[in-house]
Each structure stands twice: as structure tokens, then as C-alpha cells.
Amino acid sequence: MESRAKAAGHSIHPVLIVYPLGLLSTAVVFDLLKLITDRPGFAVSAAYTMAAGLIGGVVAGVFGLVDWLSIPSGTRARRIGALHGLTNVVVLLLFAVSWFVRNGNEDWEPGWFSITLGLVGLVLSGVAGWLGGELVERLGVGVHHGANLDAPSSLSGWRADSPH
């Protein structure tokens, strides 16, 4: 089943998810470095990185929703896609709460509650990522019809199953 939201022949959602995943993970690392070093710069960096990750997560989620809506109802892929999306919504909510809690603190000081929310969000993002992998690698969601190891480039204009 091919993706509905594509650019230059490729699904947009998997291209975009790397940014929020990397940014939110980095925010957790900055929080942990703040705990270890007690340098306020890490807390500020975590807050800004988290904000960028949240924005990126919402954008990636829009394209994921477009793809999910095209999955036929009653299929395992539709159920896994729903769980994948809902898990990612929870991840974004956890990080959003973490960001809002620290927003009122001097130098964006995270505190244990904010750090715990980020760590739980990080673990859940791993679960959501596995579910996304299940969709693509096991269930073929977002994969071109006729995809094969010798398919022509998506930029060629040829179908994946075209002889070349």
C-alpha cells in the first residue's frame, strides 16, 4: 500500500519523524547533563530543543494521519497504525507537559517531574517507533506496489515493477 502523502516519490512521514525523535531524545540527554553538571545552559538547551521537537512531532503527525486514513478499515495495519499514532500523541503530550512545567522556572530548570516525563516519553517513543517499523517492514504500509531490489529510482518516472 503506497503512501498518500509523498514528495519526490517517497513518503513524507518517515522522512519527517527523524527530526522530532532526535530533538526530543536530545532534550532528555541535555536534562541528564544538567543533573550531572548543574550547568544552567543544559536546561535552556533542553527546553528549546524540546520545543522544536514538539513542533516537528505535530508536523510529522499530520502526514502520518494522512497515510493512516488511507489504510483499509478492519485490517491489522489500521489497528497497529492507530496504536502507533496514539502512542506518539501520548509522547508529545508528555514532552509538552514537561516543557510547560519548566516554562515558569528560572533558567528553564527542569526538576524531577519534568525529567521523569521526558524519560517516560523517550521509552514510549521507542515503542511507537517499533510499531511504525511493524507497519512498514511487516505489513508493507507506505511501500510501493511492485517494490523490489532492482526497482528503478522513484525520480525516473517508472513504476517500481517496470522492467528497465
Side-chain angles (χ1 to χ4, degrees):
M1 189 206 100
E2 288 189 48
S3 172
R4 297 290 184 235
K6 295 192 287 189
H10 291 284
S11 301
I12 296 171
H13 177 69
V15 172
L16 293 180
I17 60 99
V18 298
Y19 299 107
L21 182 60
L23 289 163
L24 295 173
S25 299
T26 301
V28 171
V29 171
F30 284 153
D31 277 344
L32 295 175
L33 287 171
K34 166 64 172 98
L35 282 177
I36 294 167
T37 67
D38 201 32
R39 291 185 168 175
F42 285 121
V44 173
S45 297
Y48 282 101
T49 304
M50 196 175 299
L54 288 166
I55 293 166
V58 170
V59 173
V62 168
F63 289 100
L65 178 62
V66 168
D67 286 345
W68 180 77
L69 290 172
S70 67
I71 299 173
S73 297
T75 62
R76 180 167 179 263
R78 182 77 173 217
R79 291 187 303 274
I80 296 293
L83 186 57
H84 169 72
L86 289 173
T87 303
N88 279 311
V89 167
V90 170
V91 167
L92 291 177
L93 288 173
L94 289 169
F95 277 102
V97 171
S98 177
W99 187 87
F100 277 110
V101 167
R102 68 182 72 213
N103 184 25
N105 298 342
E106 185 177 334
D107 290 329
W108 296 87
E109 186 71 34
W112 283 103
F113 181 63
S114 293
I115 292 172
T116 301
L117 290 173
L119 289 169
V120 172
L122 185 63
V123 170
L124 281 179
S125 72
V127 172
W130 184 89
L131 291 167
E134 183 78 355
L135 284 168
V136 174
E137 297 186 26
R138 183 72 173 185
L139 301 172
V141 172
V143 176
H144 289 267
H145 297 294
N148 66 77
L149 297 177
D150 290 316
S153 167
S154 60
L155 298 175
S156 71
W158 293 92
R159 290 172 31 113
D161 57 359
S162 297
H164 42 285

